[in-house]
Amino acid sequence: MHRLRTCAARLRPLTASQAAQTIGQQRPITITSKGGTRTFQPIRCYTAPVASEPFLNGTSSNYVEEMYYAWLENPKSVHKSWDVFFRNANAGAPPGAAYMSPLGLSAASSLAATPLSSLVGAQPNVEKLVEDHLAVQSLIRAYQVMGHHNARLDPLGISCVNFDDAPVSTGFQDVGFYGLDESDLDKVFRLPTTTFIGGSESVLPLKEIIRRLEMSYCQHIGVEFMFINDLDQCQWIRQKFETPGVMQFTLEEKRTLLARMVRSTRFEEFLQKKWSAEKRFGLEGCESLIPALKTLIDVSSAKGVENVIMGMPHRGRLNVLANVIRKELEQIFCQFDSKLEAADEGSGDVKYHLGMYHRRINRVTDRNITLSLVANPSHLEAVDPVVQGKTKAEQFYCGDSEGNRVRQDEFYGCFEQKKSEHMSLVIVVVTLPLHMCVQVMSILLHGDAAFAGQGIVYETFHLSDLPSYTTHGTVHVVVNNQIGFTTDPRVARSSPYPTDVARVVNAPIFHVNADDPEAVTYVCKVAAEWRATFHKDVVVDLVCYRRMGHNEMDEPMFTQPLMYKQIKKQKPVLQKYAEKLITEGAVSRQEYEEEIAKYDKICEEAHARSKDEKILHIKHWLDSPWPGFFTLDGQPKSMSCPSTGLTEENLNHIGQVASSVPVEDFTIHGGLSRILKGRAEMVRNRTVDWALGEYMAFGSLLKEGTHIRLSGQDVERGTFSHRHHVLHDQNVDKRICIPMNHLSPDQAPYTVCNSSLSEYGVLGFELGFAMASPNALILWEAQFGDFHNTAQCIIDQFICPGQAKWVRQNGIVLLLPHGMEGMGPEHSSARPERFLQMCNDDPDVMPTITEDFAVRQLYDCNWIVVNCSSPGNYFHVLRRQILLPFRKPLIVFTPKSLLRHPEARSNFDEMLPGTHFQRLIPESGLASQHPEEVKRLIFCTGKVYYELTKERKNREMEGTVAIARIEQLSPFPFDQVKAESERFPNADLVWCQEEHKNQGYYDYVKPRIRTTIQRAKPVWYVGREPAAAPATGNKNTHLMELRRFTDMSFDLDAFKDQQ
């Protein structure tokens, strides 16, 4: 019989309009009679359950269908019994009443003797039937929505998830909640299309429906997915978990799973035996994590993934390195040797923070797979956005075997498609074809307490579907040991599960009992298939326990005595699974013991080899190698930097693009037209302002084949409306143009993207993007410089010490708007003192000045800190960042008022071939003509220079006061400061800054200037007094402070009493 989509539609009388829309669209039947031609829509009104009408079953449905069509055309063409049945059924006969045996039928008078009124009187029974079917639908939905509440997820049986406030009514005992009773358990109900528990059957007794739902949703797997607002995705998940017999494993799969469990378990036991007093943050209690990850990788590899990038906390890291990434065991074991000497490669890090990169053959798929585990600090979840950024970059570069930019033919294929769709040659971001993106994926591991507690998890999730940040689906695996160090979940989170944060992006959440390795494996298989099918995030929650304390030295019984009493009784999962397979006959006990002995032997042999290691090389743990960029031993190919200048022809060409709209019929804002005309005028006058200087740097690098990615809040226009790298058509919605992508046919692509309102997550993302390749300029701009402090973890733990800890260079650029403009405490200071405090140069040692001193200084530092006072120098420092033979983070304190300051301009002559970045800009005015007459030499940096020159001019002191600008604060330009000091032998030395004395640069530059001049003179301070806040909130006070320190700058007697 024709089956409608739902029980309600199947049983409820249909209107004509509903009938016309019936799924399946049956053919209408036209009947010619005396009254004329009539057209019928074949609508089923059968109300009897299968049990009540014995001839209605799957084998007879086709026959009944034909009989029904025949009856509709001519009731006399079928036997009287069929005629009576169809009439009664259409009239709403109760269950069992529609059918009448042919033996009980007499002549046609019998049909007439059965009045329809008696059948219509049975309507209440029909309504009861409808209610029962709807009740069954509600029951099925209850399992789908809340079945995970009743799932047996906790291996310890002491579940920390509390649902007391929301009881779930499921099971045989609670059918009354839905209006059913125990007498209905044997009744047969038609299944709706929103469930797959029937398999090939469309009807089941209520008892069997409940049993199958219990098997699907209330065993060792709990599925949260009904909050997803995509019906196809919900149906996909239902099918994966409801279909009968779907979680079947072959004998070979079970044996492989056992072997993986043996490796996972015996690795931890080996470490505990050899180094029982060492911290290693073992995996005991969640050994099934290893087969879980290997399943994710196996299935993803089969789906076309070639590169997997992973991030994880410390727990289980060594096991993952050994048994998933396949790091050599001797390299891991030698980390435990306290006598091992460290190679001269930096400070290094503890073994459970290190990363790894390895390319190997996946044994299941027989395909190449590249696995990298990103090094990370103890700061939980901080690595999440870094992994996502690196994944995005690898997806971006995967079109080019050299890894430096997207293959141009594929990239411009996207370019032309955009043109045809939107009628403009525009690229907002490089959106690669999906087949190029699925080759690279990320897997993030989390702890339960951190996943719920760390805000960076939420920030990272919210990047997951943004066009310039999506990685097309991440698999999140939560190692849920139901405790955070010593803190119970009941005081660690407000949500029932630690994974509830994932619901905000419609990510399905699969909870699974980690003591059931087969359930874990199946869930991970589904998770990998979900990612490959929908390119969306998915969460696997491994509910487990922690057999030891937070580390192997910790005593957990102090705070969780009952939990750890239960844990001590708990049989290890390997033992439980092995006994299960031995009982099933899948393996013999001898085979099991041989597998254990085999891996134990591997560990012992590796341990013996590890004793031959004499030096600990951090570079063996590098997570992001750059093949071809360094020499074979990891050194720069040179120690020099070419000129960063450009030809006049290049400058003019880039300037023309910057001052034009390279798209036809594109209407820009009137104010923007004036800006572009101003740029064109500057190009004609051979000058650049700040925005144009940046444009020249970016444009030239793009033409040279260097990809540039600029990210941050409002970077497309610029916080201060100066950049305008993305033009918006004023008449066509969402039609935009990026002129920088129209420089040259063979240029590299330019990506400029406004980010979400996040600093921590986005800066981490861009740091990860910059890790992937040295041949790209990756910049993150803070909306205001002081906003970087919400990303302080990324700065302190990754950017500043990254190379020292992990031998990992990174060329990320931070653009931090900075300056005292009288706008109040916020948005004034980018906190330069914090960056300078973390610089690794020695203030008390005068370095040896060599020919390559400037470049070698850069190579030895941990990062570069600059505060440019001219657009030309800003242009040079950006280009130098790529032309250097190595990579260092670059911190740039960018201006605000200088963006439009009439004197903050640079001439083309400062940017031509042969020119370089100036670490210090010396005095070049009247004072330099008679240096012996100069009474004061003021060192400063940044915007305050323009305040000082204005005041000097007003006081007519150009011949007696010299002003030098230190543009590169770190590494400190000892050589140039020394030369400038010696040039003015009779001058006293002053450091002038607009920041407060306890902030800014003073504490950094004073000891270094003193070292430079061998402490022959004092270095006097001029600036604002010490303060708690970065700036005053009162405009008048701001101006008074400015007046006071400019007066002191030019008062030549100001420090006589202090000498």
Side-chain angles (χ1 to χ4, degrees):
M1 307 297 286
H2 177 69
R3 300 182 184 95
L4 297 181
R5 289 287 178 179
T6 65
C7 285
R10 174 75 170 82
L11 297 165
R12 188 183 297 121
L14 301 182
T15 64
S17 60
Q18 288 173 322
Q21 297 170 7
T22 301
I23 298 173
Q25 294 303 320
Q26 300 174 5
R27 67 182 187 274
I29 301 170
T30 302
I31 300 176
T32 303
S33 64
K34 295 180 180 179
T37 301
R38 298 168 61 196
T39 301
F40 294 88
Q41 189 73 28
I43 302 168
R44 301 298 180 273
C45 299
Y46 304 139
T47 59
V50 174
S52 300
E53 305 290 7
F55 59 87
L56 289 183
N57 55 59
T59 57
S60 64
S61 61
N62 290 335
Y63 175 67
V64 176
E65 185 89 6
E66 292 303 317
M67 295 299 291
Y68 182 64
Y69 281 122
W71 177 79
L72 282 175
E73 291 180 10
N74 182 5
K76 295 181 179 180
S77 66
V78 298
H79 191 273
K80 289 179 182 180
S81 60
W82 283 114
D83 186 23
V84 171
F85 173 73
F86 291 134
R87 286 176 185 274
N88 289 346
N90 277 359
Y99 170 67
M100 294 185 68
S101 171
L103 298 177
L105 288 173
S106 56
S109 59
S110 300
L111 182 61
T114 309
L116 289 179
S117 59
S118 64
L119 296 176
V120 174
Q123 191 67 22
N125 291 325
V126 176
E127 292 177 359
K128 175 67 167 66
L129 185 63
V130 172
E131 289 173 2
D132 287 352
H133 272 82
L134 292 177
V136 170
Q137 283 195 336
S138 298
L139 179 66
I140 292 171
R141 180 174 173 81
Y143 274 98
Q144 294 169 341
V145 174
M146 297 181 292
H148 56 88
H149 291 204
N150 291 348
R152 296 183 287 115
L153 300 176
D154 184 6
L156 302 176
I158 55 173
S159 178
C160 60
V161 181
N162 184 4
F163 291 114
D164 288 346
D165 295 334
V168 182
S169 298
T170 56
F172 299 113
Q173 71 280 5
D174 287 321
V175 292
F177 178 81
Y178 301 95
L180 300 166
D181 54 48
E182 290 188 14
S183 63
D184 294 320
L185 291 176
D186 292 321
K187 287 185 180 178
V188 175
F189 291 88
R190 182 170 295 278
L191 298 173
T193 57
T194 53
T195 186
F196 291 85
I197 58 171
S200 59
E201 302 170 89
S202 61
V203 294
L204 287 174
L206 179 57
K207 183 186 297 183
E208 181 64 13
I209 290 174
I210 293 174
R211 190 192 70 80
R212 294 191 184 188
L213 289 169
E214 288 280 330
M215 293 301 296
S216 297
Y217 291 111
C218 301
Q219 300 305 304
H220 287 162
I221 298 174
V223 190
E224 279 190 277
F225 69 101
M226 289 294 282
F227 53 83
I228 297 174
N229 51 22
D230 185 298
L231 295 178
D232 290 338
Q233 293 176 8
C234 288
Q235 283 291 78
W236 188 92
I237 293 172
R238 290 185 187 110
Q239 186 171 20
K240 291 295 180 181
F241 289 98
E242 293 183 356
T243 304
V246 73
M247 206 176 82
Q248 298 294 329
F249 287 80
T250 65
L251 178 63
E252 187 59 34
E253 288 171 338
K254 290 181 178 181
R255 295 169 73 94
T256 298
L257 177 52
L258 179 65
R260 290 174 172 179
M261 289 298 301
V262 166
R263 287 175 173 260
S264 175
T265 304
R266 298 300 288 182
F267 176 82
E268 298 293 353
E269 291 178 358
F270 184 83
L271 295 184
Q272 181 66 16
K273 179 176 68 175
K274 296 291 185 182
W275 299 282
S276 58
E278 282 275 348
K279 288 183 182 180
R280 55 184 171 81
F281 296 96
L283 199 55
E284 291 96 337
C286 192
E287 292 89 346
S288 56
L289 174 67
I290 299 305
L293 294 177
K294 293 179 79 70
T295 300
L296 287 172
I297 293 167
D298 292 344
V299 176
S300 299
S301 174
K303 297 287 185 181
V305 170
E306 299 175 1
N307 190 343
V308 178
I309 301 167
M310 299 170 60
M312 70 176 296
H314 43 276
R315 185 159 313 284
R317 192 179 191 91
L318 297 181
N319 207 324
V320 170
L321 284 165
N323 290 313
V324 179
I325 310 291
R326 295 291 179 84
K327 177 73 175 172
E328 298 92 336
L329 290 177
E330 54 267 33
Q331 289 287 330
I332 296 174
F333 295 157
C334 74
Q335 289 277 330
F336 288 90
D337 187 350
S338 58
K339 298 177 182 177
L340 207 62
E341 295 182 18
D344 187 20
E345 299 170 335
S347 61
D349 203 348
V350 292
K351 49 191 168 289
Y352 41 81
H353 287 170
L354 298 175
M356 176 59 188
Y357 174 95
H358 185 48
R359 185 167 179 81
R360 63 175 175 82
I361 294 288
N362 181 282
R363 295 176 182 174
V364 174
T365 61
D366 201 31
R367 295 179 178 179
N368 276 318
I369 189 89
T370 300
L371 303 172
S372 55
L373 179 63
V374 176
N376 64 277
S378 281
H379 296 64
L380 296 173
E381 307 297 341
V383 78
D384 295 357
V386 180
V387 169
Q388 299 298 69
K390 180 169 162 50
T391 303
K392 182 68 174 179
E394 296 290 358
Q395 291 176 349
F396 183 88
Y397 299 128
C398 68
D400 187 342
S401 60
E402 297 178 6
N404 55 7
R405 64 177 187 269
V406 175
R407 211 167 54 232
Q408 293 296 319
D409 59 339
E410 299 223 25
F411 172 74
Y412 284 102
C414 301
F415 184 96
E416 293 299 329
Q417 184 178 357
K418 293 278 185 181
K419 172 186 175 183
S420 63
E421 288 181 4
H422 302 295
M423 298 177 291
S424 60
L425 293 168
V426 181
I427 299 177
V428 185
V429 292
V430 178
T431 304
L432 295 180
L434 204 52
H435 74 272
M436 296 171 65
C437 301
V438 297
Q439 297 173 11
V440 187
M441 70 172 287
S442 56
I443 299 175
L444 287 175
L445 279 72
H446 314 269
D448 54 318
F451 199 64
Q454 292 294 322
I456 187 59
V457 175
Y458 183 86
E459 290 188 37
T460 306
F461 266 119
H462 268 284
L463 297 177
S464 65
D465 211 23
L466 302 183
S468 297
Y469 301 88
T470 180
T471 56
H472 307 284
T474 297
V475 180
H476 301 263
V477 180
V478 179
V479 178
N480 181 1
N481 48 40
Q482 307 181 80
I483 188 172
F485 204 150
T486 67
T487 304
D488 288 329
R490 61 190 170 84
V491 293
R493 63 175 186 262
S494 297
S495 60
Y497 291 115
T499 53
D500 287 335
V501 64
R503 295 166 69 107
V504 299
V505 291
N506 279 335
I509 303 165
F510 305 143
H511 308 278
V512 60
N513 187 321
D515 264 16
D516 185 344
E518 290 183 5
V520 169
T521 301
Y522 181 74
V523 156
C524 289
K525 175 177 177 288
V526 174
E529 290 173 348
W530 166 276
R531 189 263 171 193
T533 303
F534 297 107
H535 309 288
K536 298 279 188 179
D537 283 25
V538 58
V539 177
V540 175
D541 178 22
L542 291 179
V543 185
C544 56
Y545 57 92
R546 191 186 66 196
R547 190 168 285 277
M548 308 287 188
H550 176 65
N551 60 65
E552 286 67 28
M553 304 294 97
D554 195 45
E555 175 51 75
M557 291 286 284
F558 287 143
T559 51
Q560 278 77 31
L562 298 182
M563 172 184 270
Y564 274 85
K565 284 178 182 177
Q566 179 62 38
I567 288 173
K568 286 180 180 179
K569 301 175 188 174
Q570 194 78 2
K571 188 182 292 186
V573 60
L574 173 61
Q575 185 180 341
K576 288 200 286 189
Y577 189 57
E579 290 173 358
K580 175 180 180 291
L581 294 192
I582 291 169
T583 302
E584 291 177 0
V587 294
S588 66
R589 183 164 295 279
Q590 180 182 347
E591 289 172 322
Y592 166 58
E593 291 172 351
E594 286 174 355
E595 188 69 35
I596 290 177
K598 174 182 167 185
Y599 188 69
D600 287 352
K601 182 182 178 184
I602 291 172
C603 289
E604 289 290 353
E605 291 173 351
H607 180 243
R609 290 193 300 271
S610 73
K611 295 178 180 178
D612 298 332
E613 298 285 341
K614 303 300 180 186
I615 298 178
L616 176 62
H617 289 280
I618 312 169
K619 64 185 179 184
H620 292 165
W621 300 77
L622 188 61
D623 57 16
S624 302
W626 292 338
F629 186 69
F630 298 111
T631 61
L632 291 178
D633 58 351
Q635 298 300 310
K637 292 182 177 178
S638 71
M639 200 52 74
S640 63
C641 181
S643 167
T644 48
L646 294 176
T647 64
E648 184 129 2
E649 180 186 5
N650 251 333
L651 292 171
N652 277 311
H653 173 246
I654 297 168
Q656 288 168 7
V657 174
S659 56
S660 63
V661 182
V663 175
E664 296 179 0
D665 301 323
F666 196 97
T667 306
I668 62 173
H669 190 276
L672 188 54
S673 297
R674 291 190 293 274
I675 292 173
L676 297 187
K677 287 177 183 177
R679 288 181 184 174
E681 183 66 22
M682 280 191 286
V683 172
R684 283 192 291 271
N685 295 331
R686 302 181 70 250
T687 61
V688 297
D689 65 0
W690 211 270
L692 193 52
E694 181 182 76
Y695 216 108
M696 296 294 189
F698 286 5
S700 58
L701 291 172
L702 291 169
K703 290 181 69 175
E704 292 164 9
T706 299
H707 168 57
I708 296 178
R709 176 183 169 93
L710 173 61
S711 167
Q713 296 158 24
D714 312 298
V715 297
E716 295 178 5
R717 192 201 75 169
T719 301
F720 311 103
S721 195
H722 69 290
R723 183 173 287 124
H724 294 287
H725 283 186
V726 178
L727 311 181
H728 292 258
D729 193 311
Q730 298 296 297
N731 298 324
V732 182
D733 185 36
K734 299 179 183 177
R735 187 181 184 218
I736 59 176
C737 171
I738 302 178
M740 199 91 77
N741 275 321
H742 297 262
L743 289 164
S744 170
D746 58 349
Q747 71 170 86
Y750 174 50
T751 302
V752 55
C753 45
N754 289 341
S755 74
S756 65
L757 200 69
S758 155
E759 288 83 28
Y760 191 171
V762 175
L763 178 56
F765 188 97
E766 302 308 330
L767 175 75
F769 202 105
M771 283 169 52
S773 171
N775 301 316
L777 183 65
I778 310 301
L779 308 97
W780 175 77
E781 182 175 68
Q783 191 180 63
F784 288 91
D786 54 344
F787 287 167
H788 77 73
N789 58 17
T790 62
Q792 202 67 47
C793 181
I794 297 296
I795 294 168
D796 289 353
Q797 309 309 132
F798 288 90
I799 299 178
C800 172
Q803 183 177 353
K805 292 196 293 187
W806 306 315
V807 202
R808 183 173 75 193
Q809 294 192 17
N810 195 297
I812 190 170
V813 179
L814 274 61
L815 304 179
L816 306 176
H818 170 84
M820 306 294 118
E821 314 280 5
M823 293 293 107
E826 271 63 70
H827 309 336
S828 292
S829 175
R831 296 290 188 177
E833 65 276 3
R834 294 182 179 173
F835 291 94
L836 295 173
Q837 182 191 37
M838 292 189 283
C839 295
N840 65 350
D841 57 338
D842 192 332
D844 302 319
V845 176
M846 180 69 182
T848 303
I849 309 300
T850 59
E851 185 178 347
D852 60 357
F853 172 72
V855 176
R856 189 161 292 280
Q857 247 197 328
L858 295 174
Y859 180 70
D860 292 336
C861 74
N862 61 318
W863 58 15
I864 305 165
V865 181
V866 302
N867 187 4
C868 300
S869 61
S870 75
N873 229 18
Y874 178 53
F875 158 86
H876 281 296
V877 79
L878 291 177
R879 285 185 49 76
R880 185 184 72 172
Q881 189 70 357
I882 288 297
L883 296 180
L884 283 170
F886 47 82
R887 294 291 174 261
K888 299 285 177 174
L890 172 63
I891 315 299
V892 185
F893 300 117
T894 56
K896 293 177 286 185
S897 61
L898 292 193
L899 296 175
R900 295 175 177 82
H901 198 292
E903 293 181 29
R905 303 284 177 92
S906 294
N907 192 275
F908 276 15
D909 292 337
E910 302 170 37
M911 304 161 69
L912 293 176
T915 56
H916 294 264
F917 172 73
Q918 292 180 275
R919 294 174 292 143
L920 179 146
I921 301 179
E923 170 62 55
S924 58
L926 187 60
S928 64
Q929 297 176 16
H930 303 283
E932 69 283 353
E933 298 178 4
V934 172
K935 302 300 181 184
R936 175 165 292 173
L937 171 59
I938 300 177
F939 287 105
C940 66
T941 187
K943 176 180 79 74
V944 74
Y945 167 77
Y946 295 94
E947 310 279 2
L948 294 173
T949 55
K950 178 183 177 182
E951 191 67 22
R952 182 176 65 173
K953 183 178 181 181
N954 291 341
R955 294 171 183 253
E956 298 181 348
M957 299 179 71
E958 288 99 327
T960 54
V961 177
I963 304 174
R965 291 170 271 175
I966 298 181
E967 302 279 290
Q968 179 178 291
L969 293 147
S970 181
F972 193 74
F974 286 97
D975 53 336
Q976 294 183 339
V977 170
K978 183 174 187 290
E980 192 72 354
S981 301
E982 292 175 348
R983 192 157 69 116
F984 303 102
N986 301 320
D988 61 3
L989 302 181
V990 167
W991 172 260
C992 180
Q993 66 180 35
E994 59 179 352
E995 296 81 5
H996 292 281
K997 189 175 184 179
N998 59 324
Q999 301 166 25
Y1001 322 90
Y1002 178 61
D1003 287 336
Y1004 176 84
V1005 300
K1006 178 183 177 180
R1008 287 164 177 80
I1009 296 176
R1010 293 268 290 159
T1011 297
T1012 301
I1013 61 173
Q1014 298 180 328
R1015 297 170 180 78
K1017 297 179 183 179
V1019 178
W1020 304 111
Y1021 170 79
V1022 172
R1024 289 180 165 89
E1025 296 297 322
T1032 178
N1034 183 280
K1035 185 73 172 181
N1036 185 54
T1037 304
H1038 167 78
L1039 295 174
M1040 287 175 60
E1041 291 172 343
L1042 177 62
R1043 169 55 54 191
R1044 189 189 62 77
F1045 81 72
T1046 51
D1047 285 347
M1048 184 176 285
S1049 298
F1050 297 97
D1051 180 359
L1052 301 181
D1053 297 326
F1055 305 107
K1056 278 192 175 179
D1057 295 339
Q1058 301 177 39
Q1059 289 184 355

